[in-house]
Structure formats: structure tokens, C-alpha cells
Amino acid sequence: MEGMDSEKDGSGIDRNAPIGVFDSGIGGMTVVREIIRQNPDERIVYFGDVARLPYGSKTKDTIVRFARQITRFLRTKQVKAIVVACNTASAYALDILKEESDIPMIGVIGAGARAAIQATRNGKIGVIGTDATIGSNIYTDVMIQLRPDIQVTGKACPLFVPLVEEGLWHDSVTDEIASRYLNELKGKYIDTLVLGCTHYPLLRSTLRRLMGDEVTLVNPAYETAIELKALLAQLGLARDPQEPVEGEKYSFYVSDLAEKFRNFAVSILPGEVKEIQKINIEEY
């Protein structure tokens, strides 16, 4: 970009600054994993709001307040972009955060919705998520805007988040609950299922077994990482791979339960998680 500072785009954003990512808990680490795979040169600052999860049972006003606090915290780390790696926060807070922000912000819903539209063959799509995500109808609204003739069936699966947070990814209790949740969707003859919560990819093998190979599972975490890569390139914000990294490449912060978070994080990103720092998010 001739005539510009080599490290900044036209808006003055440092392209070598980290990407901020946040979620209500451990689930957003599935998004971080995909971002690292698709954008290996990028630095990341992650915040998991484990003290206040689950978001899915909270009101819109509360979720927006939480999201604003976390955004303010991430801005103190001079992030160049923010990924709202939480479907509930994407549904209720992303548009507000975008209006208030001078850096790029993306959520997980748009990417997942677009991928589902491309994947479906019979036009019947299922979405599983928290009570708040399903209640917002955000996935349905976005997908019908893209393709008005499709049928979207949403199913709230509120127990999945605590089961994942407790590490019961492969457990008979999880199997039983998942079977009850998914029976309704099976009766709708869907051929595509959107995993509308960042925790749910950790249950992928269970969901695949219960739904069958004929149903395509859409992981918005993967799709979001792809869109982030394209967005950074489009805006001239992709990190210079020749630039040395000072300190840890990946930084992790939580609002509580740092040790428990670390145990989960290490299982998702082996070798990448060093220190977990606890902060008082209410101060932001």
C-alpha cells in the first residue's frame, strides 16, 4: 500500500496487532483452534467469561452488557479485530458492537448460515443452539434472507454447554440427552445440521453417530476462521510473517476458574496454551 506506514492500513490499524476472540467459556476455543489452522501467522488474545456462563439463559440486555465489557478489555490489548466466538453474543450483541467499534468485528452466525445454505440438498436445515440463540431466530432469519425457499428447524439444547464444560464429551448421559434433543430434528428430514454453539463441535462424534452420515454437520467455527482470513486480507490487516513475536503468541484470559479452563484448553490446543490469567471483567 504505497504511501502508507508499512505496518498499518489506511485506518491506522496495526496489522501486526493480535486478534481478539471471546466466548462465554471454553467453547470459543474451538474457534481459536480453527483460526490458528487457517491463520497460523496471527497472534491471538482470548477471553473466556466462565464466571458468567451460560449466556444462553441470559436476557439480551445482560448479554450486550457482558459483550461491551469484554470488548473494552480486549481493546486494552490493542487488538486489530475481534471475533465474537459465541453464537448467543453474536445473535444479540454483534450489530451493536459493530456500530460502536472502529475495528473489524465478526461473529460466527453469518459464516455458519452461508455454509449451511451451500451444503443443503433438500432445503431442510436444522439448527441446534442455546435457548437464547434459538429464541432469537437469528440463524433462520439470515438463511431465509439468503434463500427464501428453505425450511429451518431450530432446537434448543441447553444441557449441551454444561455437559461439555464438565468434560462429558463421550458419556452415556450425553448420548441419552443428545438422542432426546435430536429426535425432533430427525422427524423433519433435515439433511444439514448447524452446530449453533461453539461448545457443540466438541460433541461432533456423538452428533454424527446419532444423525447419520446422510446429514451434513456445519461447524461455524471453521467457516468463521475462513471468513476472518479473507477479511484480514481484504483490509490489508494480515500479519507480516517476518515480524518477530514478542512474548507469547497466544494469550488467554478468563473471569474465573483458570485451572479448570486450562485443562480444557490444553485438550483442544495441545502445546499452545501456557499461562491462563484471571481478570475481574466487571472492572471494564
Side-chain angles (χ1 to χ4, degrees):
M1 288 183 283
E2 192 175 352
M4 292 183 190
D5 184 326
S6 62
E7 302 302 334
K8 298 191 176 183
D9 78 334
S11 63
I13 301 173
D14 181 359
R15 66 183 179 133
N16 293 321
I19 297 163
V21 183
F22 78 84
D23 183 49
S24 61
I26 191 72
M29 292 296 288
T30 62
V31 179
V32 171
R33 179 173 60 186
E34 297 298 342
I35 291 174
I36 290 173
R37 287 173 177 169
Q38 302 301 325
N39 308 267
D41 295 318
E42 298 293 346
R43 297 164 57 210
I44 296 171
V45 178
Y46 180 85
F47 178 79
D49 197 5
V50 292
R52 304 187 294 196
L53 67 79
Y55 279 15
S57 57
K58 306 288 194 298
T59 65
K60 177 177 180 177
D61 286 348
T62 297
I63 292 164
V64 169
R65 179 169 65 84
F66 289 176
R68 281 174 166 152
Q69 288 176 326
I70 297 165
T71 298
R72 285 193 286 268
F73 165 69
L74 290 173
R75 293 302 297 265
T76 70
K77 302 301 176 185
Q78 283 78 50
V79 296
K80 65 182 177 184
I82 293 178
V83 178
V84 182
C86 171
N87 285 266
T88 303
S90 291
Y92 284 158
L94 180 60
D95 287 345
I96 293 170
L97 295 178
K98 279 183 172 180
E99 289 177 6
E100 298 171 350
S101 178
D102 58 351
I103 62 172
M105 303 193 73
I106 66 171
V108 287
I109 288 173
R114 284 185 281 274
I117 290 294
Q118 292 173 352
T120 186
R121 302 173 304 282
N122 69 3
K124 296 179 180 179
I125 299 171
V127 180
I128 53 176
T130 64
D131 286 326
T133 298
I134 299 304
S136 74
N137 283 320
I138 185 71
Y139 271 106
T140 301
D141 293 344
V142 172
M143 285 191 276
I144 286 178
Q145 284 176 5
L146 295 169
R147 184 177 157 184
D149 65 318
I150 60 164
Q151 297 177 32
V152 182
T153 303
K155 177 62 180 176
C157 303
L159 292 177
F160 280 174
V161 169
L163 286 169
V164 168
E165 295 279 343
E166 288 300 321
L168 301 175
W169 305 355
H170 308 285
D171 189 275
S172 59
V173 172
T174 304
D175 284 358
E176 172 66 22
I177 290 170
S179 180
R180 293 189 186 193
Y181 282 152
L182 298 177
N183 273 341
E184 180 181 329
L185 293 174
K186 284 184 175 181
K188 301 291 185 179
Y189 303 103
I190 64 169
D191 72 353
T192 304
L193 179 63
V194 179
L195 310 186
C197 173
T198 51
H199 288 69
Y200 296 2
L202 299 171
L203 302 176
R204 188 183 184 95
S205 61
T206 299
L207 299 173
R208 157 76 56 230
R209 177 164 39 81
L210 291 172
M211 293 306 296
D213 291 338
E214 65 276 10
V215 176
T216 300
L217 301 185
V218 173
N219 179 6
Y222 169 78
E223 306 299 339
T224 300
I226 296 291
E227 288 203 357
L228 174 65
K229 183 176 184 177
L231 179 65
L232 294 177
Q234 175 191 339
L235 298 176
L237 289 176
R239 187 176 180 277
D240 179 359
Q242 304 304 318
E243 183 73 15
V245 176
E246 297 180 5
E248 293 294 342
K249 189 173 183 181
Y250 308 124
S251 303
F252 302 92
Y253 298 85
V254 293
S255 49
D256 201 5
L257 302 173
E259 191 55 37
K260 180 178 179 181
F261 180 91
R262 186 181 189 284
N263 293 337
F264 278 104
V266 167
S267 70
I268 297 172
L269 286 175
E272 303 292 4
V273 182
K274 306 294 190 294
E275 184 183 4
I276 311 289
Q277 297 184 54
K278 177 184 170 183
I279 65 161
N280 182 3
I281 193 64
E282 295 286 0
E283 292 179 351
Y284 293 87

